[in-house]
Amino acid sequence: MSRSSIELQATTPLGSEAGRSSTFGTKNNSTVALARSGKPPGQSQSQQLDSSRATTRPPSPMEEEEGNSSGSGVDNSGQGRHEFSLPPTDSGKDAWMFLLASFMMEAFVWGFPFAFGVFQNYYSTHEPFAGSSQIAVIGTCAMGIMYLDLPLIIALLRLYPRQARYSPAIGITLMCAALALSSFSQTTTHLIISQGIFYAIGGSIAYCPCILYMDEWFVRRKGLAYGIMWSGTGLGGITMPLLLEFLLGRYGFRVTLRIWAGALFAATLPLVWFMKPRLPPAAASVSPLKLGFVFSRTFVLYQVTNIVEALGYFLPGIYLPSYARVTLGAGPFPSALTLLVVNVATVVGCVAMGWLTDRLHVTTCILVSTAGTAVGTFLLWGLGQNMATLYAFCALYGMFAGAYTSTWPGIMRQVTTAPPERDDDGSSSGSGGGGGGGGRTFDPIMVCGFLALGRGIGNVVSGPLSEAMIAHMPWKGEAMAGYGSGYGTLIAFTGTTAVVGGGSYLFRRVGWMPA
């Protein structure tokens, strides 16, 4: 396996002292930059420029200093020449093992809150929680907080990179302890604090390094890598509901939570070994507190459509089983099968969309995702009248709607490299941190964190909003097929949010975003 090298050349007696220092600094800077992108030194100037464009994180002075003083160097020539190796990007055992560990961590951490519907049904029908109106808050906290706190946790791990190496183990311990403690709950409030809030905080701490280090391990295949990792949620959504349903039915919630806490600890702790950075610990190349991109027009337009799409995205996952049971008369297993079909399709959709994001403009990828979602929702769900049509909708919805987040690497790339935005008089508006990049470099992982924050807002708001929309079963008996089932407003809202979620394609076409 080829490995890139950073060469440190001792000063020679050629030229003036200033000339020797300049030559050494230029060569060392270029070789460090090439090593970060997984390419060997000795490339042409144009190749070096291409490499710097492909890598979203330029080399930091602290990393260059550590490269100069690293004790892992080996004296090869007897004339002060040292070199050490970094694993290659986009290939090799280390990169793929990191991706596999991230995929499994995604499945375990996010699969549990996505399977909360199983617990919700159990808590609603069993003492001591039966009849409580706050049961849904548990799932909202578990999933919503993991989205909402990502920018804060990412910033902390960026500011303390040496300590970030231990965050997966800390997060796993907190997650499992929260589940174990929730098994002793006597009230819904106890469940909200343990199974909701503390599980979410532990899950975020354990999961954040997956995003943090993905930017180091994958450059050319970044979109595909993120797509594969995020498809882990679909895998968790396939297996966990079935397993938890079995355990709850046989042992009850207390024993089930203790069993799952132990199984989760045993399954995820070995993954920590492979969740390691590619580069030596050092300060972030770009400060995570540099947040000018948040106020840029490009990011604001992406974020608005991201939030609107999230308002409708989570609704089918909540209501599909009850829709199949109430409207189409399906039994318990056919009703639950709707969510399994969605999750299976999500695995495929995430990987496919990640592959497309590396090859097409991000707004085109978003259009593909949202157009497929809107067509499936309006036609198959809205006009369907049997289970076969509903299953077809589930497959289409998982394939396209489930892949929406796999477009985020494209947004991260565009926001951190966008040219200065121009006012109507042609002057640059990129000064003061308000431009759409303006030639400044922002941390792409913080961009991802704020996109997750927007999705969390949609997740938290969508629950109460959807309950209000179907409270009195509007349109029931007044419209055809699914639209007249009492869930018609829900169907129309889900499809409409998908249409608005694809608005970034239109914004680019009219010139509101860089081409």
Side-chain angles (χ1 to χ4, degrees):
M1 178 177 66
S2 63
R3 301 171 78 88
S4 55
S5 300
I6 301 177
E7 298 184 357
L8 308 178
Q9 182 66 47
T11 304
T12 65
L14 297 177
S16 64
E17 182 66 24
R20 294 195 302 271
S21 175
S22 175
T23 302
F24 177 80
T26 302
K27 180 177 180 181
N28 190 51
N29 288 344
S30 64
T31 53
V32 170
L34 290 172
R36 289 183 57 82
S37 62
K39 297 180 180 179
Q43 292 180 316
S44 67
Q45 182 68 22
S46 63
Q47 289 173 313
Q48 294 179 21
L49 290 174
D50 290 342
S51 175
S52 66
R53 294 191 190 102
T55 305
T56 57
R57 291 180 56 199
S60 68
M62 290 189 68
E63 285 168 349
E64 294 177 13
E65 181 180 350
E66 287 207 1
N68 290 334
S69 60
S70 173
S72 61
V74 179
D75 191 346
N76 291 327
S77 63
Q79 298 181 2
R81 180 172 178 173
H82 302 269
E83 67 176 32
F84 64 92
S85 296
L86 291 173
T89 59
D90 298 290
S91 62
K93 180 191 69 175
D94 293 325
W96 290 114
M97 289 304 296
F98 170 80
L99 182 56
L100 177 60
S102 299
F103 171 84
M104 296 303 298
M105 186 66 75
E106 173 90 15
F108 281 110
V109 172
W110 288 92
F112 186 79
F114 270 94
F116 177 74
V118 175
F119 279 96
Q120 184 169 338
N121 291 335
Y122 183 90
Y123 292 150
S124 301
T125 56
H126 291 76
E127 295 296 338
F129 314 111
S132 173
S133 61
Q134 301 298 314
I135 293 176
V137 178
I138 305 168
T140 300
C141 289
M143 187 179 298
I145 291 176
M146 279 207 289
Y147 280 121
L148 295 172
D149 67 359
L150 278 183
L152 175 62
I153 294 179
I154 288 173
L156 289 174
L157 297 185
R158 279 291 204 215
L159 292 172
Y160 302 97
R162 295 184 183 276
Q163 291 76 15
R165 182 69 178 86
Y166 306 102
S167 64
I170 296 172
I172 290 170
T173 303
L174 180 57
M175 257 195 323
C176 297
L179 291 178
L181 288 174
S182 67
S183 69
F184 297 97
S185 298
Q186 298 295 332
T187 66
T188 307
T189 303
H190 295 162
L191 290 175
I192 292 173
I193 295 173
S194 56
Q195 194 172 342
I197 297 174
F198 282 108
Y199 177 88
I201 295 174
S204 299
I205 296 173
Y207 168 73
C208 265
C210 299
I211 300 177
L212 203 66
Y213 302 144
M214 190 70 72
D215 199 54
E216 299 178 4
W217 285 107
F218 290 87
V219 178
R220 299 186 310 275
R221 300 176 179 175
K222 193 184 301 293
L224 177 62
Y226 274 106
I228 292 174
M229 179 180 71
W230 285 329
S231 70
T233 300
L235 176 65
I238 296 168
T239 57
M240 287 189 189
L242 298 176
L243 177 60
L244 293 174
E245 184 78 54
F246 168 78
L247 292 175
L248 285 171
R250 184 160 187 172
Y251 300 109
F253 87 96
R254 299 190 190 278
V255 176
T256 296
L257 286 171
R258 292 164 192 167
I259 292 175
W260 185 246
L264 183 64
F265 187 83
T268 54
L269 195 62
L271 302 177
V272 175
W273 175 261
F274 303 101
M275 294 176 59
K276 55 189 176 183
R278 175 176 173 266
L279 302 171
S285 58
V286 181
S287 171
L289 304 180
K290 192 176 180 181
L291 302 176
F293 69 87
V294 174
F295 306 103
S296 71
R297 182 171 62 193
T298 298
F299 181 79
V300 168
L301 292 176
Y302 277 125
Q303 183 70 305
V304 169
T305 55
N306 177 52
I307 293 173
V308 173
E309 193 274 344
L311 287 173
Y313 169 73
F314 296 97
L315 302 186
I318 299 173
Y319 292 102
L320 274 175
S322 61
Y323 175 85
R325 185 176 62 256
V326 174
T327 304
L328 303 178
F333 178 75
S335 299
L337 190 60
T338 56
L339 297 183
L340 296 182
V341 174
V342 170
N343 289 320
V344 170
T346 297
V347 174
V348 179
C350 283
V351 176
M353 186 59 69
W355 182 84
L356 286 176
T357 304
D358 288 330
R359 289 160 174 80
L360 302 177
H361 195 280
V362 60
T363 56
T364 303
C365 296
I366 291 175
L367 179 66
V368 171
S369 171
T370 55
T373 303
V375 170
T377 302
F378 286 130
L379 297 183
L380 295 180
W381 194 10
L383 299 179
Q385 302 185 55
N386 54 57
M387 288 299 296
T389 307
L390 187 63
Y391 286 139
F393 161 72
C394 294
L396 202 65
Y397 191 82
M399 179 78 71
F400 289 96
Y404 187 86
T405 53
S406 291
T407 65
W408 286 1
I411 299 176
M412 295 155 58
R413 181 168 55 247
Q414 182 172 357
V415 169
T416 55
T417 59
E421 294 171 352
R422 300 284 175 178
D423 296 328
D424 293 337
D425 60 0
S427 62
S428 173
S429 61
S431 60
R440 299 172 62 184
T441 302
F442 300 106
D443 188 347
I445 308 304
M446 289 302 296
V447 176
C448 180
F450 275 89
L451 289 172
L453 173 66
R455 198 164 182 82
I457 294 173
N459 171 258
V460 171
V461 174
S462 64
L465 183 63
S466 63
E467 290 179 1
M469 282 192 293
I470 65 170
H472 302 290
M473 289 290 175
W475 304 356
K476 188 170 185 178
E478 300 176 1
M480 62 181 299
Y483 293 109
S485 64
Y487 293 84
T489 53
L490 201 71
I491 297 171
F493 181 78
T494 302
T496 302
T497 56
V499 172
V500 177
S504 56
Y505 181 83
L506 177 62
F507 299 152
R508 181 170 72 95
R509 300 294 294 180
V510 300
W512 293 358
M513 284 183 175

